[in-house]
Amino acid sequence: MEALAERLSQLDPHSEGAIRVVAFYDTLMRRRVDLPALARASAGLAECVAGIRLHGTGRSIRVAPDGRDATGPQAAASATAPITLDDEEIGTVWVERPGPPGVFDDVLLDRLALAAAAVVERYGPARTTMADPALVELVVSAGCDEAGRARALRLLGFAPDLPVRVVAVRSRLPLDRIGALICPARPVKAAVVADVGVILATTVAQDAFPSGVRAGIGTAETPDRSWRQARTALRFTTPRRPVVPHGALGALALLAEVPEAAARANPDVTALAHLARNPEDLETLEAYCATGSLRRAADSLHLHHSTVARRLDHIGTSLCIDLTDPTELMRARVALTTWQLLHDET
């Protein structure tokens, strides 16, 4: 292998050289080398540092031309190529050439990326984010036995000793992008189940969800219970609170169990339905219930506090609720939350 790499590195920029680079990587793939061996062979062929990085695991390999791990800070990549598996970018390969690009760098990186994808697919579960919806549904299904659930998790790439958090998502953004953001360096899988995005992750960074995403996060230890919690929490999300962990709901989660007919028949909810015809009034009440303060509500709405005060007086009269009284304000909050659950549009 080393002798072949030495010969190829001395070729002039003709098509024969490109063909030999392709043959070089075909040989490596037939030998079923691993990622470190791929990086070593590529660094020797390129005569400069070569690197491989997988997005899903955070794993990065940098090798110098002498076959040793490259030390020191990473230099700027002189050329890169994406590693693609099942139409998803799962990583990057690159070379760190100090001078001008090599004649065969593009061909070398193209073949290195293909070889790296083959290695990832061959050894263990693929580190892609998108998963088979059937497997994900097995993991979160209440009717699946524990042996079946464990097998599905294993096929998805989750180790038996790893915790699995379940997130219910509604968003126009691709699920794989969201999963990579909230769990960048640990196993994460995603699929759409019953028109709801499901993300299975070993860790969830709540502050990493991008704008425009509504997400409910389950907190139970078992995936099926966590999935039920995540779907419930998703119903409580609002534009002001787009990400809701189920554990943060507390007793409010009980509102999700109220029969729809009983909720709609409640006088406070009925009054709120009439109020909601005016978006400004509804937005003002939401801000006031969220902050509990006239001035903080005015700040969040970017309005003068006197304007918000007039609106709240009108809202209180419409609802027959004294919003300055703590008990009455609690009535308004419960009615508002119940109305939002009935008109869930996440």
Side-chain angles (χ1 to χ4, degrees):
M1 185 189 309
E2 291 78 4
L4 178 57
E6 176 65 22
R7 292 198 301 272
L8 291 178
S9 68
Q10 296 174 0
L11 289 174
D12 56 6
H14 291 299
S15 59
E16 183 181 359
I19 293 173
R20 292 192 179 186
V21 171
V22 172
F24 175 71
Y25 281 99
D26 286 348
T27 299
L28 292 177
M29 293 173 70
R30 284 197 299 272
R31 293 180 179 180
R32 295 179 174 267
V33 298
D34 57 12
L35 291 179
L38 267 180
R40 285 194 300 272
S42 300
L45 178 59
E47 295 187 326
C48 67
V49 173
I52 301 173
R53 178 181 297 110
L54 298 181
H55 300 326
T57 63
R59 184 185 182 189
S60 184
I61 304 169
R62 291 176 65 236
V63 181
D66 62 4
R68 299 178 181 178
D69 291 342
T71 57
Q74 180 176 332
S78 56
T80 65
I83 304 172
T84 304
L85 184 61
D86 297 332
D87 296 322
E88 179 186 348
E89 183 178 327
I90 64 169
T92 306
V93 294
W94 71 93
V95 290
E96 302 170 26
R97 190 177 299 284
V103 175
F104 299 123
D105 281 357
D106 288 344
V107 177
L108 183 151
L109 289 175
D110 177 69
R111 302 307 296 182
L112 173 56
L114 288 173
V119 171
V120 170
E121 188 174 31
R122 182 184 303 128
Y123 294 106
R127 299 300 183 181
T128 54
T129 301
M130 297 308 295
D132 182 349
L135 284 178
V136 173
E137 189 168 6
L138 275 177
V139 170
V140 301
S141 173
C144 182
D145 59 76
E146 290 308 308
R149 196 186 325 278
R151 180 177 181 274
L153 284 169
R154 185 171 63 254
L155 290 173
L156 288 169
F158 292 96
D161 58 339
L162 284 178
V164 177
R165 306 285 297 280
V166 184
V167 183
V169 174
R170 287 204 186 276
S171 173
R172 295 183 178 179
L173 296 177
L175 283 176
D176 58 334
R177 177 183 169 190
I178 300 171
L181 288 172
I182 67 172
C183 188
R186 302 287 297 279
V188 58
K189 295 291 180 180
V192 176
V193 175
D195 296 326
V196 179
V198 185
I199 296 178
L200 305 176
T202 48
T203 60
V204 177
Q206 294 182 30
D207 57 351
F209 284 92
S211 176
V213 173
R214 297 283 190 92
I217 304 173
T219 55
E221 292 184 0
T222 59
D224 55 328
R225 290 182 54 211
S226 186
W227 172 231
R228 289 197 299 272
Q229 291 181 349
R231 283 183 299 168
T232 297
L234 180 64
R235 296 182 60 195
F236 283 85
T237 60
T238 67
R240 290 180 174 275
R241 194 184 182 192
V243 178
V244 176
H246 186 271
L249 291 174
L252 285 176
L254 295 174
L255 292 177
E257 306 298 327
V258 176
E260 181 177 338
R264 291 188 183 279
N266 183 270
D268 286 348
V269 177
T270 301
L272 192 64
H274 290 292
L275 179 76
R277 295 172 182 173
N278 186 335
E280 287 186 349
D281 286 345
L282 182 63
E283 185 181 25
T284 301
L285 180 60
E286 287 178 337
Y288 185 60
C289 287
T291 62
S293 163
L294 173 61
R295 291 191 178 274
R296 287 200 295 271
D299 289 342
S300 69
L301 293 168
H302 306 290
L303 295 172
H304 193 274
H305 65 87
S306 62
T307 301
V308 175
R310 287 195 298 272
R311 287 187 183 180
L312 289 174
D313 285 342
H314 166 69
I315 292 169
T317 300
S318 299
L319 297 178
C320 297
I321 293 177
D322 180 6
L323 295 175
T324 63
D325 179 83
T327 302
E328 297 283 280
L329 178 59
M330 179 60 68
R331 278 181 56 193
R333 285 173 170 160
V334 172
L336 176 62
T337 302
T338 304
W339 181 85
Q340 290 171 334
L341 290 173
L342 290 172
H343 296 80
D344 174 34
E345 297 180 352
T346 57

